[in-house]
Amino acid sequence: MEKQEKKRKVRVSLRLYFSMVSITTLCSACIVSLVLVLGGMKLFFHGDITLPVVIIIALLVCGLTILLGGTMLWFGSIHLTKPLEEISRAVKKVAEGDFTVHIDRNERSRGEYEYSNEIDELAVNFNTMAAELSGMDYMRKDFMSNVSHEVKTPVAAITGLSEILLEGGLTAEEQKEYLQLINKESLRLSRLCENMLRMSRLDHQQIVVKADNIRVDEQIRKCIIMLSEKWPDKVRNYEIDCGNLVIQSNADLLMQVWANLIDNAIKYSAEDSSIYITGRIHNNNYLLVTIRDEGDGISIEKQAKIFEKFYQCEESHKKVGNGLGLSIVKRILELLGGEITCSSEEGKGTVMEVTVPLK
């Protein structure tokens, strides 16, 4: 612990640095003054020096003291102001929108310590801030690009189909078919807006009230019934192994977790396949729920991205989702103090493990 604390300290504190400079300056000036005065007094007592000469020696001593002290403080101030000027220039670039700026550190001067001094610590914190801002800028641009793409597709479909209907000349069956497509795209656009608003609220939310006593097994069964009505054309077999799972949390948020995960299991698994859901309470400490499907699975490269906003593993599923479901799940679990992990193998399905504290 002591070694860890030592690593956090600066090599030389700026207060100590200026104290050392000042003491060195004063000591050097005093030594020079003492030598000159002693030399002058020696001459004076031998009768080889007059009063004007003593005055000249005193003035010379004062001048040399001021010159020496001023020179040392000048070079000491350069040591302080040079990195501050560099930081000032970097801050100006950040203010102008350039988040790629980076301040180089003198690694040799800090030795075994984490920082050379407080300015070095400031430089490190600045580099961290610039990197975070650069990442946020990239995410903002990427977010806007994804939103534009996701919104553009259903809007274009609705516009095209409505123009065909306005032209007329269609049979009643064709009109019904086009109206159903318009309704489908409208619902897709509505879900996208709803998920974006939900994601925005969750991103800005920091405190969650966890005062609901929840029967998690009942929540999961309700989700299955609800999703069976949402996907009436998809036949899935459900193998549920859950006891009476009672926890204290936020019922609405937790319901969204199960709904999104089971919905994904339905979408990405084959017809007439099975979905396995198990739930256990471990050591009276946390709840573990596992949802496993028999779908195509996810490659290792894609598993690292599945919790990113708007990311979808398969292009063929873009028409039935918008890539926000798992992002919402991850954020909800962060707020509830839980975690989610994914393990998958191509051709053998996907396993989602969710852990949630009991209180």
Side-chain angles (χ1 to χ4, degrees), residues 263-279:
D263 187 54
N264 279 349
I266 295 172
K267 283 192 294 186
Y268 293 102
S269 57
E271 193 69 15
D272 204 26
S273 61
S274 296
I275 296 174
Y276 303 89
I277 303 173
T278 60

Side-chain angles (χ1 to χ4, degrees), residues 53-208:
V53 175
V54 174
I55 295 174
I56 292 173
I57 292 174
L59 292 175
L60 182 61
V61 169
C62 292
L64 288 174
T65 304
I66 294 172
L67 179 62
L68 180 62
T71 302
M72 295 184 69
L73 289 175
W74 170 263
F75 284 103
S77 65
I78 290 177
H79 180 79
L80 172 65
T81 57
K82 186 176 179 181
L84 286 178
E85 289 173 356
E86 187 178 356
I87 293 174
S88 179
R89 287 192 295 268
V91 169
K92 185 177 180 181
K93 289 183 179 180
V94 169
E96 293 171 351
D98 181 8
F99 302 126
T100 61
V101 63
H102 180 83
I103 298 175
D104 296 326
R105 301 171 62 199
N106 188 347
E107 298 290 341
R108 291 179 299 177
S109 65
R110 65 189 181 94
E112 64 177 359
Y113 293 85
E114 188 173 356
Y115 309 111
S116 300
N117 48 47
E118 289 86 352
I119 297 179
D120 186 41
E121 183 178 4
L122 177 62
V124 172
N125 292 333
F126 175 86
N127 289 335
T128 303
M129 179 196 71
E132 289 293 326
L133 289 173
S134 179
M136 290 176 63
D137 186 57
Y138 172 80
M139 289 176 60
R140 178 181 61 82
K141 293 176 181 177
D142 187 58
F143 178 80
M144 293 303 297
S145 175
N146 284 317
V147 169
S148 300
H149 174 74
E150 293 292 337
V151 171
K152 182 179 178 181
T153 304
V155 168
I158 293 171
T159 303
L161 292 170
S162 61
E163 288 176 352
I164 294 174
L165 288 170
L166 288 173
E167 289 176 359
L170 301 175
T171 64
E173 185 177 347
E174 289 174 332
Q175 288 182 358
K176 183 178 179 181
E177 180 182 356
Y178 288 157
L179 288 171
Q180 287 176 342
L181 290 173
I182 289 175
N183 180 64
K184 183 178 179 181
E185 293 298 323
S186 300
L187 291 174
R188 179 185 167 193
L189 189 60
S190 176
R191 286 195 299 270
L192 172 63
C193 295
E194 182 181 345
N195 283 334
M196 286 173 58
L197 289 172
R198 183 180 291 123
M199 192 74 238
S200 178
R201 285 196 298 268
L202 291 171
D203 279 341
H204 290 86
Q205 190 171 357
Q206 299 298 329
I207 300 175
V208 173

Side-chain angles (χ1 to χ4, degrees), residues 221-234:
R221 291 184 177 90
K222 288 179 182 178
C223 284
I224 292 173
I225 295 172
M226 177 183 67
L227 292 170
S228 297
E229 295 176 356
K230 177 183 176 181
W231 303 101
D233 57 332
K234 294 183 181 292

